[in-house]
């Protein structure tokens, strides 16, 4: 009876090179049209595209535009989340403040994510094969799936926090995979102190990564179990070795974070720090809706990909039901803990925005080739003719699914690359021209999207929704000259403005695709005459073609950190 033979290593290396080449080409496409809109009419209606790129880089933007990063009473998230604005500030020192530079930084981070993903899968491939230099297509397939993903294309081109959090998590997993218990090829403590080696410095590196993750996005605490699992595996699943491995890193992480809090935050920015958490101190999860929320959390994972996400769920289920021996590979439960931990937070918080699923998309994408590659790498010996046929059929089916997934995702990504829109940046530029042409008015803009406008135009701004001062107090403190809103002026904003200003509508610009936010309206704030009573809110006249059932505009993006 003829037995199937493994694919020759030379062919595997050629196939791996081809997959990585295609992935590199699609990575390069991410760097095109950096100032374009978030893809309009996409499946992902995420309000972050109106606000978050400016909000979380505001400290860097203001540092170069105003000379100071902190605006008392306004929204200052950098007090609690300083890592991303510090990186942007380092970049802006060379490029100046602009949207393309901020997004180029995120694309560079995505390139590092692809590299770290490849190295992580290669590392555990070597460990599971006894450090034999065997070639597997799983790392290259994972990189390709991430590179061609339209979901990743849309969100890793935005200057938001999630890509950096993912990169730090991958680096932490890599560091944990190389940490060695004392006596297993690592130097003695005395020798480590006298002559540190890369292995002896890994606990320090890991101890710095922990606070960097939390200071990038505080929801990073839900990713720590995935990292701790790898340390647990490296300790041989024994408590004492695990404590010896983890406690130095944990102690350094605690000291680093506490030092930042006690030396920087507490004496200077405590109200801003607390405000960030107060704005998020809620849960939409209740005993009456827990089942529906969990179901929605799982179902909304389809944002990741209509083929990729079900395939990832199938891979996760098959690990427990069909191939539990895969759990012996520490990377598999670690990836499951990563995705499961963050999904648990999403369900608890019950604020299911598409961008949050980017943090789940990466571990699920890595899981797919790791699990299914075990099928074609499994033992070929002692098979009956029927088993051989079924094995070949399974391999052919998986290859067909991977090919279909890659082609469909690549087509969608190429569509976004070929059809960029510039409605938001065009509207922002026209606003800049109008404001700059009227020197009699303070150029300060009041807007929920003010920070994004500052990033795109250089105009100063404050937020009309979030801040440690109430809006009427903030208006009196800063006297903005212009107000920019989406589609209509909400009653609470009108009530805050009318005691001081008359709103004179100057221009309106169609921008973006959300039915509730597709018309950017510019108002000039003219001082109100003291003797006149405040005028009530009148909804702006909207061109018939742009009219939709706006109704009452919902509250802005719920901040999740």
């Amino acid at each position: 009876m003829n037995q199937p033979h493994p694919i020759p290593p030379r062919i595997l290396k050629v196939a791996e090179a081809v997959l990585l080449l295609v992935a590199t080409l699609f990575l390069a496409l991410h760097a095109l049209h950096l100032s374009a809109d978030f893809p309009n009419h996409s499946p992902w209606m995420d309000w972050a595209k109106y606000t978050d790129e400016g909000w979380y880089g505001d400290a860097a933007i203001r540092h170069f535009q105003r000379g100071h990063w902190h605006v008392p009473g306004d929204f200052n998230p950098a007090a609690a989340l300083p890592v991303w604005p510090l990186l942007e500030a380092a970049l802006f020192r060379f490029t100046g403040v602009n949207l393309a530079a901020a997004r180029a930084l995120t694309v560079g981070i995505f390139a590092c994510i692809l590299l770290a993903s490849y190295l992580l899968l290669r590392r555990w491939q070597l460990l599971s094969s006894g450090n034999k230099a065997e070639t597997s297509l799983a790392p290259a397939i994972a990189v390709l799936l991430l590179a061609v993903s339209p979901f990743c294309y849309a969100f890793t081109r935005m200057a938001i926090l999630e890509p950096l959090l993912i990169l730090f998590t991958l680096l932490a997993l890599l560091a944990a995979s190389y940490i060695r218990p004392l006596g297993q090829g690592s130097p003695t403590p005395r020798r480590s102190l006298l002559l540190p080696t890369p292995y002896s410095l890994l606990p320090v590196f890991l101890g710095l990564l922990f606070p960097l993750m939390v200071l990038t996005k505080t929801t990073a605490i839900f990713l720590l179990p995935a990292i701790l699992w790898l340390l647990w595996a490296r300790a041989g699943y024994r408590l004492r070795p695990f404590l010896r491995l983890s406690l130095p890193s944990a102690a350094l992480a605690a000291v680093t974070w506490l030092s930042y809090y006690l030396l920087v935050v507490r004496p200077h920015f405590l109200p801003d720090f607390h405000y960030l958490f107060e704005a998020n101190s809620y849960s939409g999860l209740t005993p009456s809706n827990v089942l529906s929320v969990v179901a929605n959390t799982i179902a909304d994972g389809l944002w990741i990909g209509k083929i990729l996400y079900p395939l990832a769920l199938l891979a996760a289920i098959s690990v427990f039901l069909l191939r539990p021996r895969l759990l012996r590979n520490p990377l598999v439960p670690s990836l499951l803990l990563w995705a499961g931990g963050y999904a648990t937070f999403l369900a608890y918080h019950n604020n299911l925005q598409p961008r949050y699923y980017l943090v789940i998309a990466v571990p699920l994408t890595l899981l797919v080739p790791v699990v299914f590659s075990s099928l074609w790498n499994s033992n070929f010996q002692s098979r009956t003719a029927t088993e051989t046929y079924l094995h070949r059929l399974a391999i052919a089916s998986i290859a067909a699914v991977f090919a279909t997934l890659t082609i469909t995702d690549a087509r969608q990504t190429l569509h976004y690359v070929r059809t960029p829109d510039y409605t938001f940046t065009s509207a922002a530029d026209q606003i800049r021209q109008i404001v700059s042409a009227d020197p009699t008015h303070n150029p300060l803009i009041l807007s929920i999207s003010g920070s994004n406008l500052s990033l795109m135009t250089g105009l100063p701004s404050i937020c009309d929704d979030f801040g440690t001062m109430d809006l009427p107090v903030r208006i009196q403190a800063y006297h903005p000259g212009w107000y920019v809103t989406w589609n209509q002026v909400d009653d609470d904003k009108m009530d805050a403005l009318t005691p001081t200003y008359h709103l004179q509508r100057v221009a309106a610009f169609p921008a973006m695709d959300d039915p509730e936010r597709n018309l950017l309206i510019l108002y000039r704030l003219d001082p109100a005459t003291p003797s006149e009573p405040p005028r009530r809110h009148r909804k702006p006249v909207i061109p018939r073609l742009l009219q939709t059932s706006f109704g009452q505009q919902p509250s802005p993006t719920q901040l999740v950190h």
Side-chain angles (χ1 to χ4, degrees), residues 27-111:
L27 172 62
L29 295 178
H30 284 62
L32 302 178
H33 315 300
L34 286 176
S35 297
D37 296 344
F38 182 93
N40 286 313
H41 311 295
S42 72
W44 314 291
M45 195 61 70
D46 195 308
W47 288 351
K49 60 189 180 184
Y50 297 93
T51 56
D52 285 29
E53 291 179 287
W55 276 349
Y56 299 112
D58 226 351
I61 297 167
R62 289 168 169 172
H63 171 72
F64 287 98
Q65 292 178 348
R66 302 184 180 204
H68 55 88
W69 72 269
H70 185 257
V71 177
D74 201 45
F75 184 43
N76 296 290
L81 308 172
V83 176
W84 176 248
L86 284 173
L87 286 179
E88 281 196 329
L91 175 66
F92 291 160
R93 183 170 295 277
F94 300 98
T95 66
V97 177
N98 65 87
L99 179 64
R103 289 180 173 177
L105 178 60
T106 313
V107 172
I109 288 172
F110 182 60

Side-chain angles (χ1 to χ4, degrees), residues 161-173 176 206 209-210 212-231 333-346 356-364 561:
L161 304 177
E162 281 75 12
L164 185 59
L165 174 62
I166 293 168
L167 176 60
F168 283 153
T169 305
L170 288 168
L171 293 177
L173 292 176
L206 195 58
L209 276 174
F210 286 155
L212 284 176
M213 291 169 61
V214 174
L215 294 175
T216 297
K217 192 173 177 70
T218 55
T219 51
I221 59 176
F222 291 89
L223 305 179
L224 296 184
I227 302 168
L228 294 176
W229 180 268
L230 287 192
L231 290 175
S334 181
L335 293 175
L336 292 172
L337 285 170
W338 177 347
Y342 214 76
T344 300
F345 165 74
L346 294 185
Y356 302 144
Y357 283 84
L358 183 65
V359 182
I360 298 176
V362 171
L364 290 183
H561 311 290

